[in-house]
Amino acid sequence: MKRLFIIAALAFATSALSAQAQRLAYVDSEFILTSIPEYNEAIEEINEMAIRWQREIEEQFREVERLFQRFQAEAPLLSDDMRRRREQEIVDREREIQNLQRRRFGAEGDLFRMRQERIRPIQDRVFASIERIARNRNFDFVLDRSDNAIILFANPARDISNDVLRDMGITPPPADRR
């Protein structure tokens, strides 16, 4: 038992010493991205397109609603065959709009692809810059403090966000973001 305790204590001491030897830094990727004009332009373009597509879909749904209301008003005057055909036309039109909505906003839709095409290259450049700085300064880990990261305290001296921007050829904003 005493031997097991000594081995556990040595393992704990070794891990504590190696943890102290690790060099850490952090970035605020949201701050970095929003400091890149190209990123802001891409986000604006994507948002404008999403709004345009959403309006288009809403207008088409309103048109289906108008068709349905007209059908309800005329239904008593229609033969059974005509009533079934008109109902089917409305159902088919609604299905087409739902398919359009999935093509535009679905998991692999146009909006997703547009984000990938416009945002991904910018993110890749940011990550390459972070990696370059981390390797040059021998950081073992670079954490991201943006979004929902659980970092209770971060020494501002370890923040390399402005360094990443400078590495990318962007002058960091003068305002303090903390």
Side-chain angles (χ1 to χ4, degrees), residues 105-126:
F105 298 106
E108 297 291 322
D110 296 338
L111 188 62
F112 173 81
R113 280 194 305 277
M114 187 179 212
R115 284 184 195 276
Q116 288 292 98
E117 291 170 3
R118 295 296 314 271
I119 302 299
R120 186 62 173 249
I122 299 167
Q123 290 173 327
D124 289 346
R125 286 189 0 241
V126 169

Side-chain angles (χ1 to χ4, degrees), residues 65-81:
E65 181 62 30
R66 285 190 290 269
L67 286 172
F68 181 70
Q69 288 172 356
R70 192 168 66 218
F71 166 73
Q72 284 183 320
E74 297 171 356
L77 306 173
L78 299 173
S79 68
D80 287 344
D81 186 46

Side-chain angles (χ1 to χ4, degrees), residues 13-89:
T14 304
S15 67
L17 287 175
S18 67
Q20 288 179 350
Q22 295 174 344
R23 292 182 36 105
L24 300 173
Y26 69 90
V27 296
D28 183 338
S29 63
E30 184 177 340
F31 166 75
I32 293 169
L33 289 170
T34 57
S35 297
I36 300 172
E38 181 184 353
Y39 175 83
N40 293 321
E41 292 167 7
I43 290 295
E44 188 175 317
E45 179 184 329
I46 290 166
N47 289 341
E48 287 173 5
M49 188 60 73
I51 289 168
R52 189 175 321 140
W53 287 338
Q54 185 61 38
R55 285 182 185 149
E56 172 188 331
I57 289 167
E58 288 170 358
E59 178 56 39
Q60 290 182 25
F61 274 125
R62 281 192 293 275
E63 180 60 33
V64 167
E65 181 62 30
R66 285 190 290 269
L67 286 172
F68 181 70
Q69 288 172 356
R70 192 168 66 218
F71 166 73
Q72 284 183 320
E74 297 171 356
L77 306 173
L78 299 173
S79 68
D80 287 344
D81 186 46
M82 281 296 289
R83 194 176 14 246
R84 278 191 296 275
R85 277 194 288 185
R86 297 269 300 273
E87 286 174 345
Q88 190 60 48
E89 287 174 14

